Amino acid sequence: MPRSRATEVRVAWPGRASVVRPLVGVQDSYARMAFGRGGGQPHLTVTGARLGTMTVATTRGPATVPAWLFALHGYDTPLRRAAVTSSPAPRSPIAPTRSVPGRRLDRLGGVSGDGRTVTVVAVRGVCDGGARVGALEGRDAVVLSGSVVKGRGSGPCTKQAKLMPVRVRLKRPLGGRVLLDALSGAPVPYREAHPG
């Protein structure tokens, strides 16, 4: 695995100021990617890695971030993993609520190229009929409220959570507006999902 002399890297947004963040080393990035694989046998064989870039969805719009590009045996396209950690979440402009029913949102899954559709990963029960996310749009923020669709069964059910991607169509492009979770009052975080 390569060694990088850089300890800090830039995260850039089109038309906005960039931020400097600590670089996640290639060994740490690989360990995060491989975490939880059973039996000690990898599902993919990594043959090399190099530092490149990728675009990720953030609450400030798409950002270009440094990424480790892992070459995989048998694949022409590398597996990209962000080489930076998220900035600490900013203080929320709204307080958490206890009076609104609903479910928390797990993370931001993506933003469409035109900024009109956001995908969030919502939490639902295994016996629920699915997850639903509503949006209240303002000038500086979009507040997202997760809820569940009632299931049809009436028998016993285990108390188990399931993650489900939900697409939300906005009235206007997200732009620089922050995405907030109505239940917690906090910005909806971006976290890379584990591959596979």
Side-chain angles (χ1 to χ4, degrees), residues 25-177:
V26 68
Q27 294 288 354
D28 288 341
S29 185
Y30 176 79
R32 288 179 188 179
M33 178 177 66
F35 176 75
R37 297 291 175 217
Q41 296 296 319
H43 293 272
L44 300 170
T45 302
V46 175
T47 59
R50 65 183 173 85
L51 194 58
T53 62
M54 67 186 285
T55 302
V56 298
T58 74
T59 57
R60 291 191 264 177
T64 301
V65 302
W68 289 110
L69 310 181
F70 291 98
L72 304 174
H73 178 72
Y75 291 86
D76 295 332
T77 305
L79 176 64
R80 296 172 187 264
R81 300 300 288 173
V84 294
T85 57
S86 298
S87 298
R91 188 167 175 256
S92 175
I94 62 173
T97 182
R98 290 182 179 82
S99 62
V100 176
R103 298 282 176 101
R104 70 175 175 85
L105 300 174
D106 185 68
R107 67 180 179 272
L108 176 63
V111 180
S112 64
D114 65 1
R116 296 288 303 268
T117 303
V118 296
T119 302
V120 292
V121 178
V123 179
R124 70 178 188 97
V126 292
C127 295
D128 294 327
R132 183 179 0 212
V133 178
L136 177 63
E137 297 186 48
R139 188 185 76 204
D140 299 319
V142 176
V143 180
L144 300 175
S145 177
S147 62
V148 295
V149 178
K150 291 281 186 195
R152 296 178 191 238
S154 59
C157 182
T158 59
K159 190 172 185 178
Q160 230 175 323
K162 185 173 182 179
L163 299 177
M164 175 182 174
V166 178
R167 293 174 60 185
V168 181
R169 183 81 174 152
L170 303 178
K171 294 177 184 170
R172 62 186 179 91
L174 179 62
R177 296 182 293 171

